Amino acid sequence: MIGVTESSVRPETRVGAVFVPQLPPERLRSVAQAADQAGLDELWLWEDCFLESGITAAVAALAWTERLTVGVGLLPVPLRNVAITAMELATLHRLFPGRARVGVGHGVQDWMGQVGARAESPMALLREHLTALRALLSGERVTSQGRYVRLDGVALDWPPPRRPELLAGATGDRTLRLSGEVADGTILTGGTTVEQVRRARRLIDEGRARGERTEYHPVVLYLHVATGRDAAARMEAERVHWGYDTMDGHGVAGGAEAVAEAVRTWAAAGVDTVVLQPTPDDPDPEGFMAFAAQEVAPLVRN
């Protein structure tokens, strides 16, 4: 089961891929099954407003597959009461032990404002949410009178047998330090450069020292990837969409060799799971899963 361990040994690099939520939910089944059949390490889902639910999609993907690990990165905490998040994660990990990885984070602040959930202090909210969530998933009875998280003797009747890994999405310096201190791992957004990964690792380690954390802290990163027909043109559209001056250092377009070399580069900087993020208009999402699992991953591990 994926959970918290005291090991400080860095694991083997894992290769995943994203089911981008610009695809309709009914497409998930065929993509998840293609990923499972191809032997992909991890399939990642996003709870982006106002596209698709992370937990609902994760449960469906896990139920439709046999061995696939499914990640959700991330659940925006302003939208979620921590008790509900704990109940959902406990249920998820009891139904599918060892097959889910879930991260929480600030969410996009403009989106949070649209639904009336924008916090005055996102940092305080994330700290309180993560702290309470860890305790609840550990089977503790929690009372908290924080600025945002208020619980009165709350305990899960069905906590997971072992507290699962809790990831935090982070970009800013303070959030990276907080992730090192309170979370078990960190998710870095697509477009994060190699140098930014190295800097993120340093900030995470500052937080780990502050929190006296000694277990290994895995880092997950999304990597923009385009392959196959019109790969260069689709990647250029991504560059424009995300506002990069260049895609160099932010992503890669090309075949398996080029993508595997990029994965190795980011892994050498401190990333443990590189999740290939296809363009929303990728012509073959099922084929992309097989590309990641059967063409890229073997080259990364050789």
Side-chain angles (χ1 to χ4, degrees):
M1 177 176 181
I2 293 174
V4 181
T5 72
E6 292 301 316
S7 173
S8 60
V9 178
R10 184 176 179 181
E12 180 182 58
T13 302
R14 292 171 66 82
V15 176
V18 181
F19 175 85
V20 292
Q22 288 80 11
L23 295 172
E26 57 268 26
R27 191 73 181 270
L28 176 60
R29 183 171 191 161
S30 64
V31 173
Q33 290 178 338
D36 197 40
Q37 291 161 11
L40 185 69
D41 290 335
E42 300 179 5
L43 176 68
W44 280 76
L45 309 169
W46 296 345
E47 188 165 87
D48 276 2
C49 299
F50 299 95
L51 293 165
E52 293 163 8
S53 161
I55 296 297
T56 303
V59 169
L62 288 162
W64 288 326
T65 57
E66 297 294 330
R67 52 152 298 280
L68 184 66
T69 293
V70 175
V72 181
L74 48 76
L75 303 176
V77 298
L79 293 179
R80 296 177 157 272
N81 181 285
V82 70
I84 291 294
T85 304
M87 291 162 60
E88 289 185 323
L89 296 192
T91 302
L92 182 71
H93 286 288
R94 290 187 72 106
L95 288 173
F96 305 101
R99 293 183 57 204
R101 306 185 73 187
V102 180
V104 300
H106 298 307
V108 176
Q109 295 307 295
D110 286 347
W111 292 342
M112 300 303 101
Q114 279 184 271
V115 297
R118 187 166 187 163
E120 184 177 340
S121 176
M123 289 295 297
L125 170 56
L126 184 57
R127 176 181 290 278
E128 291 178 12
H129 193 104
L130 271 168
T131 301
L133 188 57
R134 284 179 62 187
L136 288 167
L137 290 173
S138 296
E140 298 176 21
R141 184 170 300 279
V142 181
T143 295
S144 171
Q145 293 300 317
R147 182 173 178 179
Y148 296 103
V149 175
R150 298 180 182 180
L151 301 173
D152 183 8
V154 175
L156 298 176
D157 283 359
W158 295 102
R162 178 184 176 193
R163 182 176 71 77
E165 170 193 57
L166 286 175
L167 305 173
T171 54
D173 292 5
R174 294 171 63 205
T175 310
L176 286 162
R177 291 190 187 98
L178 178 64
S179 182
E181 179 184 357
V182 183
D184 304 310
T186 300
I187 302 171
L188 301 178
T189 188
T192 301
T193 66
V194 166
E195 183 50 44
Q196 287 171 329
V197 169
R198 295 191 182 105
R199 187 170 188 277
R201 271 288 186 191
R202 292 193 292 270
L203 293 165
I204 289 166
D205 284 344
E206 290 177 14
R208 292 178 69 229
R210 184 168 60 191
E212 300 181 341
R213 305 293 296 270
T214 58
E215 70 277 14
Y216 187 75
H217 187 104
V219 169
V220 178
L221 172 131
Y222 299 120
L223 178 65
H224 295 291
V225 170
T227 192
R229 187 176 71 250
D230 302 325
R234 287 186 283 111
M235 188 58 79
E236 172 62 13
E238 285 289 90
R239 183 195 69 77
V240 172
H241 174 76
W242 294 104
Y244 306 134
D245 292 334
T246 175
M247 284 308 295
D248 290 344
H250 295 288
V252 58
E257 290 280 0
V259 175
E261 178 60 29
V263 171
R264 288 192 292 266
T265 298
W266 266 270
V271 176
D272 302 288
T273 300
V274 180
V275 184
L276 310 187
Q277 178 179 327
T279 62
D281 58 348
D282 186 279
D284 183 8
E286 291 83 1
F288 189 89
M289 301 296 139
F291 169 76
Q294 298 177 346
E295 298 185 46
V296 175
L299 294 175
V300 170
R301 290 168 185 149
N302 286 342

